[in-house]
Amino acid sequence: MQKTIERIAGDSEGVAYEFPVFRFEGTDKSAPSAYLQAALHAGELPGVVAIDALMPMLAKAEAEGRIRDAITLVPWANPIGRAQYHFGEHQGRFNLGTRTNFNRAFPLLAAPDARLLADVNLGGADRRLKKRLVELSLGNDIVLDLHCDDEGLAYLYIHTSLWPHMADCAAAMGIDAVLLWSEDSSGTFEGASIMPYQNVPASVARFDRRVVTTVEYRGMLDVDSSLAASDAAGLYRLLVTRGVIRDPSVPKASSFSGAVVPLENIEMMPSPKAGAILYDVKPGDRVNKGDRLATIVHAPGEAGGRTEVFAPQSGFILTRRSRRIIRAGEDLLKLAGDKRSADARSGTLED
Ligand SMILES: [Zn+2]
């Protein structure tokens, strides 16, 4: 295994950002290669500790000559966000200087060719970081971007061109649900990893062996050693299932038994009022149309000071907020509906 340090120039003299990249070289270039990154939203740590738990498994496979093609790991993908504290609170989702979401504004190339990337020397540190992450990941058969939600189930975003080819991966990882999306106009990392393959010859796109996904490893607080171990085991199983690592002791993943939901079916449930949230439901709960999902206490102690929110259709709760204060219009939860949402947000990725 080789460790290298990547360096991203900051936006003023004397400032630079660094992050490590770990690379296991394989012995069989015909096998698929893999790229894993975590904490692009810098405070989302379940994937960081999953990679930490995965490393000894990869080191063992390497020592035993079982790594077939290269595996690249970036456990802290966002050193800019990692260093952002605002009045003592960590802010890892948006670049404080530009208000840009760290998982937006990635370049969406017309083909999987890093030479098409624009020069970003004067583009800002976050753009330089994004360009470098695309350079590191592009061309790998398997690209996993490990995130988490506020509170939630374990779920994957997958582009429709890769489904159901990737059902074995979802099964290997032990994921609860898969969200299928089709459009990316905002430039998520996942979009930057799959859109370049949409208009190239099938022999290059290879959707049968390509794996690209944003992994939502439950919630922000789901960071502990047993989840890290089971998530690492799931990642390892995926790498074995797809032939990156040879390991006859790993049983073949059974078929995927979780939910598969088109993004158009997701109900985001904006809060009608600002206030304190009393949830009636938690991630994983099944709900029927008309069930109460939450009560917003916006004028405590006053008549009419509570507003209830009901399920617009039947489905299950995918995520909810981890904090209980909310402003009007902010999303209370994600309800994975059984059918298309009446106000579907056009099928784009939400992470
Ligand atoms: Zn995220």
Side-chain angles (χ1 to χ4, degrees):
M1 189 265 292
Q2 228 190 358
K3 175 185 174 183
T4 52
I5 299 292
E6 291 287 334
R7 193 167 183 281
I8 304 294
D11 291 325
S12 56
E13 292 295 321
V15 176
Y17 301 93
E18 290 183 347
F19 63 100
V21 177
F22 301 92
R23 190 171 164 92
F24 294 85
E25 287 299 339
T27 51
D28 176 2
K29 290 294 158 202
S30 69
S33 61
Y35 172 90
L36 286 75
Q37 73 176 27
L40 180 57
H41 288 137
E44 298 177 354
L45 304 182
V48 173
V49 294
I51 289 181
D52 178 63
L54 175 65
M55 289 292 259
M57 304 164 84
L58 300 185
K60 182 166 187 287
E62 182 180 51
E64 295 170 0
R66 293 187 286 102
I67 296 191
R68 295 180 64 211
D69 202 356
I71 304 169
T72 306
L73 301 114
V74 183
W76 283 114
N78 183 356
I80 303 170
R82 189 180 175 185
Q84 287 188 161
Y85 284 80
H86 188 234
F87 299 118
E89 286 224 35
H90 184 243
Q91 302 286 344
R93 190 169 181 79
F94 297 90
N95 183 358
L96 290 181
T98 60
R99 299 185 177 186
T100 306
N101 186 321
F102 282 114
N103 195 18
R104 297 291 185 279
F106 277 90
L108 296 170
L109 301 180
D113 183 348
R115 290 171 302 182
L116 300 174
L117 289 164
D119 180 354
V120 288
N121 277 326
L122 301 176
D126 59 335
R127 289 188 66 199
R128 286 190 283 281
L129 173 67
K130 289 167 189 177
K131 180 184 182 185
R132 188 65 192 127
L133 293 176
V134 170
E135 284 172 338
L136 288 166
S137 59
L138 204 66
N140 283 280
D141 302 281
I142 296 169
V143 175
L144 307 179
D145 189 18
L146 311 182
H147 290 246
C148 69
D149 213 295
D150 242 15
E151 277 184 33
L153 300 179
Y155 66 99
L156 305 178
Y157 287 100
I158 296 179
H159 190 261
T160 47
S161 62
L162 297 180
W163 193 260
H165 307 300
M166 273 183 59
D168 60 337
C169 300
M173 295 174 80
I175 287 294
D176 300 310
V178 167
L179 302 195
L180 298 179
W181 65 277
S182 53
E183 292 168 37
D184 184 357
S185 51
S186 61
T188 61
F189 177 77
E190 181 179 350
S193 304
I194 188 62
M195 298 317 282
Y197 295 94
Q198 295 304 308
N199 296 304
V200 295
S203 58
V204 177
R206 294 294 308 270
F207 291 140
D208 57 325
R209 70 181 239 165
R210 188 158 306 287
V211 171
V212 174
T213 180
T214 307
V215 181
E216 300 286 352
Y217 273 141
R218 308 168 203 87
M220 294 289 280
L221 298 182
D222 292 322
V223 184
D224 64 53
S225 44
S226 69
L227 284 173
S230 62
D231 288 340
L235 292 168
Y236 183 79
R237 214 157 31 230
L238 182 154
L239 294 171
V240 172
T241 300
R242 285 300 179 113
V244 186
I245 298 172
R246 207 171 342 98
D247 191 339
S249 74
V250 172
K252 227 177 138 44
S254 52
S255 59
F256 181 59
S257 57
V260 182
V261 184
L263 219 49
E264 295 80 10
N265 289 27
I266 299 293
E267 306 278 1
M268 298 294 285
M269 305 307 306
S271 179
K273 294 278 187 183
I277 310 167
L278 301 173
Y279 279 116
D280 292 293
V281 293
K282 61 182 184 309
D285 285 355
R286 178 85 205 164
V287 297
N288 293 314
K289 180 177 178 175
D291 285 352
R292 192 176 67 193
L293 302 173
T295 300
I296 313 302
V297 179
H298 48 91
E302 297 182 37
R306 296 170 146 232
T307 299
E308 298 173 315
V309 178
F310 300 96
Q313 63 160 312
S314 300
F316 65 92
I317 305 302
L318 186 66
T319 70
R320 67 179 185 181
R321 294 166 72 88
S322 54
R323 299 186 188 200
R324 298 298 182 256
I325 187 167
I326 196 162
R327 292 184 290 187
E330 288 185 316
D331 296 322
L332 276 165
L333 51 77
K334 289 192 184 105
L335 190 166
D338 294 339
K339 54 186 202 306
R340 188 182 163 84
S341 163
D343 77 345
R345 293 181 194 175
S346 76
T348 55
L349 242 136
E350 271 296 333
D351 182 86

